Amino acid sequence: MNDGSADGSGSHAEPGLRAKAMRVGLGRAFEMFPDDVAAAESAAAQARAAMRKLAPLCPAEEPWPPMRTGAAR
Amino acid sequence: MSELHWLGAAELCAAYARGSTSPVEVVQALLARIAALDDKLHAFLSVDADGALEAARRAEREIRAGRALGPLHGVPVGIKDIIDIAGQRTSCQSKIMGDHVAHSDAHVVAALRAAGAIVLGKLTLFEFAMGGPSFDLPFPPARNPWNTAFHCGGSSSGSGAAVAGGLVPLALGTDTGGSIRNPAGMCGVVGLKPTYGLVSRRGVFPLAFSMDHVGPMTRTVADAAHLLAAIAGHDPQDAGSAAVAPRSFTADLHLGARGLRIGFVRHFHERDMIAAPEMAAALDEAARALAAEGAVVQDVELPPLQDFAAVQRVISGSEIWSVHGRWLRDRPQDYAANSRRKLMPGAFYSAADLMDAQRLRPRFMRAVDAALQEVDVLLCANSMETACAMDDVAELLRTHPRQARAPFNLTGHPALVMMSGVSGRGLPLSLQFVGRAFDEPTVLRAGAAYERATRWASLRPAGIP
């Protein structure tokens, strides 16, 4: 499903992806499987973009799961 | 009597009470069937024949002495190999886990043993409950009993194949983005993702903490209810476990559809993602069948599938990365290729992305809650397509995201998938019922009513004897 050359030069990986991969600790994965890293980065970018199209958050909208002191045990 | 391997829990319980068969006979019959068929299906990663026979002999003695524990006593169950069984390997279908052996039973396995169920073995899955049907792992992927050239869905692929193939009547699966319901639909069995927090996840290898669920996979709705009854309940050692009052999951099964208000979420498969015509026609037919049984069916609107999916992906991806990040950084070569692609996106989300997604999440929970104020249960698509060939990588990639399951991992609502017909290629079609949080009894009631109104639960896969 992947596999460009060992340094990624034969893959479809976009220029600059190496730097992104290094930043998140995926340098080794990028060297070995550049197309897998590219696919993962692309999937994340698509999900992030789709999420940003949703109606903007109001300042008071709280996250879920909520913080509940002492309720976890 | 029917062949032993096709009997469900309710039928086995009655047969044991009559003395027309015994747990030992049933376990022996299933072991023989596994020996005959599992080279083709690859549903089991390991079979504990000695342990199962010993438990069967114990159950037989107890039942004959008049000490039957209930509907699961002496009934074999298979366990997805991401769930711990004391003294056995939990591989998660991955090289990463090596020879990790569990030191104790998962809460759900202990609960099944307490109910008298017989643990038959560990079932195949997609790697870490996330990858796909992978051929670059030491374990072969499970194959669909309806046509062994086709995939089973996943990630609880072995659970679906084993139950559909008559290798075991009951199985446990897990569901983080649809992993019980996908194989249930592809293999033509019943799969229930319970409400988040109803069933303990203790002893289950995590995928995404706030979306992981454990639940039943069976051939009938009644068996799903019995299995759920055995494993549901508060576990103070699971941080996500809910302290809710126990309810009967079987008491409403006989009530039928009369008076049930069903909201049909048509836009999931008619507007958001266009389903294959056969799948859409089966959904329409199901709505008509339920109306004919006395249900009141009306269309309802939820947010678009794509909106659910965007938020679900950011949260699950981030949670997955927190589990797998260190291994993906240090030993990416030890994962299957399609696992790497699905497990790594979380590396690229920022803290702000995750926080935004977590703050958006309640909007979707409230939207589903609001729809369920107007109706008792929702009817919607499960998959937009049937299974495709195992080796058709392009079709696997195209069809995998075409589903309506992940919304209810995001919101936590209970969701039941069952068969709704057979495609022109002889593969199962499926549908999904969704209920209010902790209202599994109504979801199961709807499923049981649909099951009685149709013939799908009586069909057996054509791909095996």
Side-chain angles (χ1 to χ4, degrees):
Chain A
M1 291 196 43
N2 64 72
D3 294 354
S5 64
D7 66 359
S9 58
S11 79
H12 302 107
E14 62 164 276
L17 181 61
R18 178 191 297 272
K20 283 186 190 174
M22 297 295 283
R23 250 195 324 271
V24 298
L26 284 176
R28 182 180 172 85
F30 182 79
E31 295 305 321
M32 299 177 79
F33 310 106
D35 287 348
D36 290 353
V37 175
E41 195 275 338
S42 169
Q46 286 172 30
R48 185 187 303 109
M51 187 174 73
R52 288 183 179 162
K53 285 184 191 161
L54 300 177
L57 285 153
C58 300
E61 284 185 272
E62 289 258 359
W64 195 94
M67 179 70 180
R68 286 202 178 110
T69 306
R73 291 284 186 275
Chain B
M1 192 194 314
S2 305
E3 293 167 294
L4 290 178
H5 56 264
W6 290 126
L7 298 184
E11 294 159 308
L12 287 171
C13 183
Y16 296 158
R18 284 195 307 272
S20 57
T21 189
S22 73
V24 172
E25 280 182 352
V26 170
V27 167
Q28 286 171 336
L30 294 181
L31 291 173
R33 189 163 171 84
I34 292 165
L37 290 181
D38 207 39
D39 275 354
K40 206 172 172 187
L41 293 178
H42 301 302
F44 276 87
L45 279 170
S46 62
V47 178
D48 182 14
D50 292 343
L53 283 166
E54 186 187 329
R57 285 191 284 270
R58 201 163 49 241
E60 197 160 312
R61 283 195 301 273
E62 292 294 307
I63 292 168
R64 286 191 175 155
R67 293 192 290 269
L69 292 171
L72 297 193
H73 201 173
V75 179
V77 59
I79 308 294
K80 181 178 182 178
D81 194 25
I82 197 169
I83 301 172
D84 285 346
I85 298 177
Q88 294 188 28
R89 188 167 74 150
T90 305
S91 76
C92 302
Q93 194 98 352
S94 181
K95 292 179 206 169
I96 298 284
M97 295 297 279
D99 290 322
H100 167 76
V101 173
H103 58 79
S104 58
D105 282 341
H107 184 272
V108 286
V109 172
L112 286 172
R113 291 195 204 275
I118 296 168
V119 176
L120 197 53
K122 304 295 287 285
L123 296 163
T124 312
L125 63 151
F126 290 173
E127 187 181 25
F128 283 116
M130 186 62 183
S134 298
F135 294 93
D136 51 350
L137 289 171
F139 320 93
R143 291 177 175 269
N144 196 318
W146 291 80
N147 183 333
T148 54
F150 285 67
H151 74 84
C152 298
S155 65
S156 308
S157 45
S159 304
V163 172
L167 306 187
V168 69
L170 311 173
L172 288 184
T174 62
D175 192 317
T176 303
S179 286
I180 287 173
R181 293 163 288 156
N182 183 10
M186 298 296 175
C187 295
V189 300
V190 173
L192 173 64
K193 181 201 81 67
T195 309
Y196 184 80
L198 182 67
V199 176
S200 171
R201 303 157 305 153
R202 178 158 53 96
V204 181
F205 194 89
L207 181 59
F209 302 102
S210 71
M211 297 189 198
D212 288 344
H213 304 69
V214 184
M217 296 178 71
T218 61
R219 288 191 292 269
T220 66
V221 173
D223 277 4
H226 289 307
L227 185 44
L228 181 63
I231 61 175
H234 182 229
D235 174 11
Q237 292 184 64
D238 172 354
S241 181
V244 291
R247 294 178 67 181
S248 168
F249 300 115
T250 54
D252 293 350
L253 293 178
H254 68 287
L255 291 179
R258 184 154 301 282
L260 204 59
R261 296 172 304 163
I262 298 177
F264 192 7
V265 194
R266 281 180 184 280
H267 67 85
F268 276 1
H269 70 278
E270 290 185 352
R271 191 175 67 218
D272 302 346
M273 284 181 193
I274 308 299
E278 291 175 304
M279 199 66 88
L283 282 161
D284 282 337
E285 185 50 40
R288 276 195 293 274
L290 288 160
E293 294 292 309
V296 179
V297 183
Q298 64 183 84
D299 288 358
V300 299
E301 287 272 333
L302 291 177
L305 276 177
Q306 289 81 353
D307 292 359
F308 281 101
V311 175
Q312 189 262 346
R313 282 179 192 160
V314 173
I315 296 172
S316 67
S318 301
E319 293 182 358
I320 288 166
W321 179 247
S322 81
V323 174
H324 287 277
R326 69 185 166 105
W327 288 325
L328 286 163
R329 287 178 176 122
D330 295 344
R331 43 192 294 205
Q333 70 280 9
D334 286 338
Y335 286 88
N338 50 20
S339 306
R340 274 193 302 273
R341 290 184 175 212
K342 291 181 182 174
L343 294 168
M344 288 193 296
F348 298 99
Y349 297 126
S350 68
D353 293 334
L354 174 60
M355 187 53 69
D356 282 353
Q358 287 179 315
R359 292 176 63 210
L360 287 162
R361 190 175 194 174
R363 292 187 187 178
F364 295 91
M365 300 164 90
R366 285 194 297 269
V368 178
D369 284 341
L372 285 162
Q373 292 284 313
E374 307 300 318
V375 295
D376 300 309
V377 70
L378 304 174
L379 166 66
C380 65
N382 171 42
S383 293
M384 304 300 166
E385 319 262 355
T386 56
C388 64
M390 296 275 284
D391 55 0
D392 190 343
V393 175
E395 188 66 354
L396 279 165
L397 289 172
R398 186 187 74 81
T399 55
H400 180 77
R402 287 178 42 74
Q403 48 95 355
R405 295 177 286 270
F408 309 108
N409 295 88
L410 182 70
T411 68
H413 292 83
L416 177 80
V417 159
M418 52 198 297
M419 191 169 170
S420 63
V422 182
S423 76
R425 290 196 298 179
L427 295 163
L429 305 167
S430 63
L431 56 72
Q432 180 169 225
F433 292 109
V434 179
R436 300 179 188 117
F438 302 105
D439 192 16
E440 277 78 2
T442 303
V443 176
L444 291 160
R445 173 189 166 189
Y450 177 70
E451 186 177 76
R452 275 196 299 276
T454 59
R455 63 189 177 91
W456 312 124
S458 67
L459 299 185
R460 299 290 173 242
I464 52 165

